[in-house]
Structure formats: structure tokens, C-alpha cells
Amino acid sequence: MLKVGLTGGIGAGKSEVSRLLAGYGAVVVDADRIAREVVEPGTPGLAAVVEAFGESVLTADGLLDRPKLGAIVFADPAKLQILNAIVHPLVGARSAELEGAAGPEAIVVHDVPLLAENGLAPLYDLVVVVDAAPETQLARLTALRGMTEEEARARMAAQATREQRLAVATLVIDNDGPLEALEPQVRTVWDELTARAAKRAGSAEPAESAAPAEQPE
């Protein structure tokens, strides 16, 4: 199994890269999707969030009011830390469960928005960073997600800097341009991942095999 960490700042286009990699055959473990699952109605996660932030973060139907909670935590780093302390362990446990269900020859891509922020790079065999300039992120968040500039800047400020993400990157995908420029880069990265996976599988052969052992990354 090859374990890949995929990350990128909000608005950088990580979700599109994740979708493309899944289409090529990667087993994608989506931390954002899991984060939604662990706070669905009736879960211990939602109960803990309500205990920490009050019932005002629920909709009339008992669902988590994500925009309201987001406005609270992204305006206050201490409250964001409280939320992360609730959600992150639940996401980590579910992610490990899904990884364990993948086959031994799988390429498992962990789609993790806060990989750099939480120092998670050592958990993976390599890290792929989807990179875009802050100006590009801001433009996408306001034009495509309907955020105000203030909301977009607050969410960007709550994440690692561009430099911090690039510092943990093994491979970088430049998504500062149009969408049509993205797919060829993702295909190149997939080819690299499959080559590394094949090399890793070869290094696991018996000692008499001529295949050289791969050095730890």
C-alpha cells in the first residue's frame, strides 16, 4: 500500500484533484466528508459540538448549521481549536478504518485540508500539495463560493501559509491557471504514484529477488 497525503489551501482546487485521482483508481479517504459524517444527527460528535457551542449551532431540523458554526470558529482561534479537538480524533479514527479496508496494493490518497497545520506529513509515504496563489484563492472563494472578502480572508488566515504547505510537499500541482491545465498535471502525478507503488511492491519481494529495496522516504 502506498499512503499519500493530499492537501492544499481553501480554494486551491484540491477537491478537483482528489476527484481526478479517484477516477484513475486511487482509494480516496476524504477528511472533509468524514468530518461531516461524524457530526450527523445522533452522533457523539454532534452532541459534543452542541455541548461546546450551544444549541444555537443547530438548524430547526437538528442538523449542524455549518455556516453559523464556521462564522463563530473562524473569527476566534480559541474556538476553532475547541472544534478541532472534538472533530479531529473522530476523523482520524474513521480514516484509519477506511484505509484498513483498502487492499494491500492500493494507492490510498488521504484528502486532508489541514495536513500541514496539524503536522501530519510523517504519516504518509509522500505528500502532494495543490498550490495556488492567495490572490487566486480569494478570487475563487468570492466568485464561486459566494463568500464575502472578509469571510474568505478569515478562512484563509485560519490555515497554514502557502510556504508552510510547500515545505512539506513531495510533489506540487500548480493550480493557479485554468481548469484545463490541471488534468495533465494530475495525470503526471498519478503516473509517479503508480511507479512508486510498483517499486514499493518490488522491494517487498524475498531477499533473493534482484529488486532493490526502497529507502525510507
Side-chain angles (χ1 to χ4, degrees):
M1 178 184 293
L2 185 71
K3 296 191 288 186
V4 181
L6 173 68
T7 194
I10 185 170
K14 175 179 58 59
S15 296
E16 181 63 17
V17 171
S18 179
R19 185 188 69 78
L20 289 168
L21 289 173
Y24 293 142
V27 176
V28 174
V29 178
D30 187 337
D32 267 350
R33 181 181 58 78
I34 296 170
R36 291 190 291 272
E37 290 178 357
V38 299
V39 290
E40 288 179 348
T43 61
L46 183 58
V49 170
V50 172
E51 182 178 356
F53 296 97
E55 293 192 1
S56 65
V57 298
L58 295 177
T59 68
D61 297 328
L63 301 173
L64 183 62
D65 189 333
R66 293 182 176 280
K68 187 167 188 177
L69 180 60
I72 293 170
V73 300
F74 288 113
D76 187 334
K79 290 181 179 178
L80 179 60
Q81 188 172 13
I82 291 170
L83 178 63
N84 288 341
I86 295 169
V87 175
H88 286 175
L90 298 172
V91 172
R94 178 59 175 155
S95 296
E97 181 181 346
L98 292 172
E99 180 186 288
E105 297 183 0
I107 296 176
V108 181
V109 175
H110 287 267
D111 184 336
V112 185
L114 302 180
L115 185 151
E117 291 83 344
N118 293 321
L120 301 178
L123 298 179
Y124 309 107
D125 298 312
L126 71 157
V127 173
V128 177
V129 171
V130 184
D131 181 54
E135 297 78 9
T136 302
Q137 293 176 256
L138 183 62
R140 289 172 178 164
L141 293 175
T142 54
L144 302 179
R145 299 200 192 179
M147 293 184 188
T148 66
E149 182 174 337
E150 182 180 6
E151 289 170 338
R153 289 190 182 279
R155 296 197 179 218
M156 290 168 61
Q159 295 188 335
T161 65
R162 185 183 192 184
E163 291 73 22
Q164 288 170 328
R165 280 189 295 271
L166 291 174
V168 301
T170 311
L171 302 171
V172 177
I173 294 173
D174 177 7
N175 194 27
D176 221 18
L179 186 61
E180 55 266 25
L182 181 62
E183 196 280 335
Q185 293 187 74
V186 179
R187 180 74 226 192
T188 297
V189 165
W190 177 249
D191 289 343
E192 174 68 16
L193 297 182
T194 54
R196 287 179 181 241
K199 184 178 179 183
R200 181 175 295 273
S203 69
E205 292 180 5
E208 61 267 25
S209 170
E214 183 178 2
Q215 295 299 312
E217 305 248 1

